[in-house]
Amino acid sequence: MTSLPHPERDLVLDLAYGELPEREARRLRAHLEACADCRSELERIEGTRRLMSALPLEQAPERGERILLAAAREAAGRARPRWRMPGWLAGSLALAATVVVVTVVSIRIARESAGPLGAGHDPNALLPTPAPAEARRSEDSFAKAPEERAVASAQAQPPSAPPARPSPGRLSAPKAAGPRYAEPPPAVSREEDLARRDNAARPHDEEREAKASLKAEEPGLAGAPAGAMALQAPASSAEMEAPRAAAAKRAAPAAAGGSAAADLARPNGSLGPAATAPDVRTFPGCAGESRREIGRDAAGRVVRYVREGSASGRRVRVELAFGPDGRLVRTQARDLDTGVEVPGEALPGLPRSAAEVDPGAAPRCGP
Amino acid sequence: MPVEDRESDERLMLRFRGGDSVAFEVLVRRHRTPVFSFLVRLVGDRGRAEDLCQDAFLRVVKAAPDWEERAAFRTWLFTIARNLAADEARRSVFRRADPLDTPGGEAVRAAAADPLPDRAAASAQLRPRLEAALAALPAEQREVFLLREHAGLRFAEIASATGTPENTVKSRMRYALEALREKLAALGVSADDAEADGRSALP
């Protein structure tokens, strides 16, 4: 066995497990005829596999199945009527918003340019004008003095153009996160309740419950299998930005906190994003740790840890990111009120690796 | 045989994503025992394996809305199960700071305490011998062995599931097979016992 160099022994292993491409397999088999060492290596592998194959499967306990099926029925029931804003609807809403903005702007312009009397109440001015070009044309129909017209179009252009652009963005961007985020958490079904009670004795119960309610809140954030398959590969930035932004919005309603959170929401390409809905816990009345969020990738590894709490009189949000090997790869801490970056160790007792992340740990309520 | 039983895992997953819970039922019936079996032997504790197995399938339920057919379901499922087990092991090691409390710790200690059987009894006690040999493997070798033999993952898939280079995976597999062979020999299990069992692991 020791006489064989490594690459060859890997080839023998590949052959034994049928992972060698046919051509290479043929070549190796020809080599085996001549090489007693390789032959005996293969025989040893096959003999051990034969022995170990006598080991039967351990039957999974009955009761777990019922719980899973109940959870699945509940999820399937939610999947069917689940409403996603389709692209065309988002598009037409954006268009509608544009029309409204343009109309309002052109009405205002019509009033101003028509002078104190008459045209302000001109029924023409109230006609909906669906596009800026048309708005300008309708102003022209008032046949004002050229310089007045120039003023009117100067006023018309800036307000109508910019609001028109952001609004489709604002409407279509939350297409993924918005409606789902807005979904109210459904009432706990009898089955799920049963499932939870079944696990009542387990330490994970609380965690599961948190996950279950999160699932309801952000069902679309559950691990993308594509991400899971790539295992190390982060999900697309669109996939990760939406949930984080949503979480950030929830976490930091204050403007400053919001912008800090928005910064954190920017994906870092090298990091595995939290592909499943994060495990969020809040500790009301606990100053040192008011909120804890643990994000896992689709394969279940802890990749993100967020804690918010007060330390030395300021409210801080610390975000840690872990690599697939569990090592800490990034630390970011910000003052929630000012949005200013603060030292990473702003909060005491932060985990130094994914292994130290304990979803069930008691909150650190001290100063 | 119901139609569902012949459908691929991936097709079933797509149906479940579409709101068909029967499809998930088929997946659960098909994979729960293999996953549980894998976890029991990986962590060496039935209770923990049961919890982890449930967690793994609940994750599947949760991830279903975003499931796409390009992923191989079985590989994905076992990767989830493996990572949950690894996470939990890391956490419990950290919490208790007990180096003995690694996956399979109990089983390894139990196996070490086992007396050597005489050859006549060996055949009748084949299964406990095999379990003991497996439990005696270092965790990272046992993990690779189980993912390959029980979960049927290819070496490249095991590499990505465990975040380990493929040649390391193969080394671990070779060490595992060699250690099993030696351990089984020490426990008095010979090739004859396997022949008597009349089964072959080879495809």
Side-chain angles (χ1 to χ4, degrees):
Chain A
M1 182 154 185
T2 43
S3 56
L4 268 172
H6 273 238
E8 266 186 73
R9 289 171 59 192
D10 277 354
L11 284 183
V12 173
L13 190 69
D14 282 338
L15 182 71
Y17 282 90
E19 288 201 14
L20 219 51
E22 189 43 46
R23 255 174 61 136
E24 278 185 68
R26 234 179 298 135
R27 207 177 313 146
L28 185 59
R29 274 193 214 100
H31 171 75
L32 286 177
E33 306 269 317
C35 173
D37 277 351
C38 299
R39 229 170 24 241
S40 69
E41 166 95 5
L42 183 63
E43 277 161 16
R44 271 197 299 270
I45 293 174
E46 289 176 343
T48 308
R49 292 191 71 193
R50 213 164 19 245
L51 276 173
M52 291 307 292
S53 73
L55 200 57
L57 289 177
E58 285 276 355
Q59 201 63 37
E62 240 356 273
R63 66 186 199 103
E65 185 171 302
R66 192 174 49 78
I67 295 168
L68 289 177
L69 298 187
R73 272 194 298 274
E74 216 241 327
R78 216 179 310 131
R80 246 185 292 241
R82 198 165 113 230
W83 186 77
R84 283 179 198 243
M85 189 191 284
W88 62 264
L89 182 53
S92 35
L93 280 180
L95 183 66
T98 311
V99 170
V100 168
V101 167
V102 169
T103 308
V104 167
V105 167
S106 47
I107 288 171
R108 210 177 290 162
I109 289 163
R111 281 206 183 123
E112 278 171 36
S113 56
L117 288 170
H121 303 283
D122 187 340
N124 282 335
L126 294 172
L127 284 180
T129 42
E134 230 177 316
R136 249 168 285 136
R137 236 181 290 131
S138 69
E139 287 147 23
D140 288 347
S141 72
F142 289 116
K144 287 277 134 194
E147 63 278 15
E148 264 185 35
R149 232 180 304 153
V151 170
S153 59
Q155 280 172 330
Q157 223 132 10
S160 64
R165 218 170 312 134
S167 50
R170 218 173 294 148
L171 277 163
S172 58
K175 176 171 56 170
R180 289 183 229 168
Y181 179 60
E183 255 174 30
V188 177
S189 81
R190 205 175 50 80
E191 280 162 340
E192 195 177 341
D193 193 33
L194 210 73
R196 283 179 201 166
R197 230 169 311 138
D198 233 283
N199 280 304
R202 309 282 169 74
H204 298 340
D205 191 41
E206 190 193 337
E207 189 182 338
R208 265 197 208 120
E209 231 173 89
K211 280 187 221 154
S213 63
L214 261 166
K215 184 170 60 181
E217 208 176 334
E218 301 169 26
L221 309 184
M229 274 315 297
L231 300 171
Q232 253 70 282
S236 78
S237 59
E239 259 172 331
M240 57 193 270
E241 207 153 4
R244 289 196 185 181
K249 202 159 73 185
R250 206 174 38 231
S259 77
D263 267 357
L264 288 169
R266 248 176 273 291
N268 176 339
S270 67
L271 298 177
T276 48
D279 177 357
V280 178
R281 287 166 193 223
T282 52
F283 307 102
C286 170
E289 183 168 3
S290 53
R291 185 168 182 279
R292 177 191 301 164
E293 178 184 328
I294 295 169
R296 292 170 189 273
D297 62 13
R301 285 180 289 234
V302 171
V303 291
R304 190 159 170 274
Y305 178 91
V306 180
R307 184 193 295 172
E308 290 174 15
S310 298
S312 331
R314 60 184 173 191
R315 296 198 304 130
V316 182
R317 172 188 167 93
V318 181
E319 185 188 90
L320 308 178
F322 302 104
D325 57 354
R327 259 200 304 247
L328 179 65
V329 293
R330 193 169 57 122
T331 303
Q332 193 173 44
R334 278 181 192 280
D335 188 308
L336 268 174
D337 296 307
T338 62
V340 173
E341 205 155 327
V342 295
E345 55 281 5
L347 293 175
L350 289 165
R352 283 156 299 178
S353 69
E356 292 187 15
V357 173
D358 181 0
R364 293 177 166 267
C365 298
Chain B
M1 186 197 259
V3 183
E4 288 89 10
D5 287 0
R6 292 192 301 270
E7 264 194 272
S8 77
D9 294 342
E10 291 74 22
R11 288 279 314 149
L12 288 166
M13 216 29 211
L14 283 177
R15 280 177 46 194
F16 178 49
R17 188 185 69 183
D20 177 1
S21 64
V22 175
F24 183 75
E25 232 175 289
V26 179
L27 285 170
V28 166
R29 301 234 154 89
R30 203 178 274 179
H31 294 292
R32 207 167 66 92
T33 285
V35 168
F36 174 73
S37 183
F38 162 73
L39 286 166
V40 165
R41 286 169 181 149
L42 186 64
V43 305
D45 179 289
R46 289 189 75 89
R48 274 159 66 204
E50 215 180 312
D51 278 355
L52 291 167
C53 184
Q54 291 294 98
D55 272 359
F57 278 96
L58 288 174
R59 263 164 214 273
V60 169
V61 170
K62 210 189 280 184
D66 296 301
W67 167 260
E68 282 170 44
E69 212 176 352
R70 60 191 144 134
F73 176 80
R74 191 181 168 81
T75 306
W76 179 56
L77 173 63
F78 275 95
T79 302
I80 292 174
R82 179 269 167 198
N83 285 330
L84 285 171
D87 267 3
E88 197 227 32
R90 274 200 297 263
R91 264 204 310 277
S92 61
V93 167
F94 170 69
R95 207 164 24 223
R96 284 163 233 167
D98 173 10
L100 281 175
D101 197 45
T102 49
E106 285 169 38
V108 172
R109 286 192 290 275
D114 259 6
L116 209 85
D118 61 71
R119 275 194 75 72
S123 192
Q125 296 180 347
L126 181 59
R127 182 172 173 177
R129 301 299 111 195
L130 298 178
E131 298 276 16
L134 188 55
L137 288 180
E140 77 270 9
Q141 289 177 26
R142 191 167 61 245
E143 171 181 276
V144 170
F145 179 84
L146 290 171
L147 284 172
R148 179 63 249 204
E149 292 285 354
H150 285 217
L153 266 57
R154 299 168 66 84
F155 293 124
E157 292 171 332
I158 297 172
S160 70
T162 57
T164 314
E166 191 174 338
N167 57 358
T168 307
V169 167
K170 286 181 183 170
S171 301
R172 286 180 185 169
M173 188 70 192
R174 280 191 283 100
Y175 293 141
L177 286 164
E178 195 56 30
L180 285 172
R181 201 176 68 87
E182 282 166 12
K183 183 75 182 175
L184 289 174
L187 291 171
V189 180
S190 73
D192 303 338
D193 298 314
E195 303 310 337
D197 195 69
R199 289 202 301 161
S200 169
L202 298 178

